[in-house]
Amino acid sequence: EMMVLGSEFNVSAYAEDEHIVTTLEKGGLQVLSTLNQKSVTLKPGDLVAYSNRSGKFRHEVVQAADYSSWRYGYIFFNNIKVSDLLVKLERVYGVQFVMPDDSPYLNQRIRARFNKDESLDNILNIVHMLVPQFCYKVKGDTIYLNWHIFVRRSSFIDIIYLFLRQLHPLWRDCL
């Protein structure tokens, strides 16, 4: 439950998520747990994550504008795990990612900013540049991920590999 105190804020509340996340840009906001009647009052720049399971709050100070960047025409991901990024892309683009569960790269963190109108293909190519092992094939609304583990090469060869992959569409299939 929320009591708005003349504010600009953002709420992310999806049934499948463990937390409801609220960030405050301006004004004041009080968040109340109906589970245990505890509350927390937010100041501008505060983030509160409420656990649907435990009824507990987690509070931290953030750049609140990053969480409501969608209102300004872009999507900003700051130190987000690749697995969380994929969930957000599924929601925005109406696709489904199919991937091996045991990939160590799902926990890798990235930072990126995209225009809200950016094509999914462009975003996936950028993710590949940030995580070179990230390979994918698109079949309709389903995107199949494959994680390539390769022996470390020189930075020069990595740069050529990324460049060629951008030029030739077959490289996108991670030959």
Side-chain angles (χ1 to χ4, degrees), residues 23-173:
T23 53
L24 181 66
E25 285 190 63
K26 295 179 184 174
L29 183 68
Q30 185 176 37
V31 181
L32 172 70
S33 168
T34 55
L35 188 65
N36 60 20
Q37 299 303 310
K38 291 187 178 182
S39 69
V40 65
T41 302
L42 283 75
K43 303 180 309 242
D46 284 350
L47 174 144
V48 168
Y50 172 76
S51 172
N52 291 317
R53 288 188 213 155
S54 69
K56 292 183 180 178
F57 293 106
R58 184 187 82 235
H59 175 265
E60 58 187 273
V61 177
V62 297
Q63 291 290 336
D66 294 348
Y67 291 84
S68 56
S69 59
W70 58 272
R71 293 188 333 205
Y72 308 110
Y74 62 94
I75 304 169
F76 182 70
F77 300 109
N78 186 11
N79 198 31
I80 188 173
K81 289 194 291 187
V82 170
S83 60
D84 294 336
L85 171 72
L86 297 177
V87 168
K88 291 181 185 294
L89 292 176
E90 284 179 332
R91 290 177 182 153
V92 171
Y93 291 95
V95 296
Q96 178 184 5
F97 287 95
V98 176
M99 67 202 102
D101 290 332
D102 61 348
S103 172
Y105 304 107
L106 289 175
N107 290 320
Q108 185 168 337
R109 294 187 173 272
I110 63 171
R111 178 183 168 99
R113 177 180 164 172
F114 305 109
N115 285 329
K116 201 163 75 171
D117 300 326
E118 192 82 44
S119 75
L120 180 60
D121 192 50
N122 284 346
I123 290 174
L124 294 174
N125 281 324
I126 291 167
V127 172
H128 172 74
M129 283 191 255
L130 297 171
V131 184
Q133 299 82 359
F134 178 90
C135 298
Y136 64 95
K137 281 188 182 185
V138 179
K139 291 188 179 178
D141 290 340
T142 305
I143 301 167
Y144 297 90
L145 298 182
N146 188 14
W147 303 92
H148 282 267
I149 300 172
F150 48 84
V151 177
R152 186 77 199 140
R153 300 174 301 232
S154 73
S155 295
F156 177 73
I157 292 174
D158 285 341
I159 291 168
I160 291 172
Y161 169 78
L162 290 174
F163 176 74
L164 289 173
R165 194 164 181 274
Q166 292 298 311
L167 290 179
H168 198 285
L170 289 178
W171 280 84
R172 230 175 278 143
D173 293 335

Side-chain angles (χ1 to χ4, degrees), residues 14-21 49-54 91:
Y14 292 91
E16 64 272 12
D17 288 353
E18 181 183 342
H19 292 92
I20 297 171
V21 179
Y50 172 76
S51 172
N52 291 317
R53 288 188 213 155
S54 69
R91 290 177 182 153

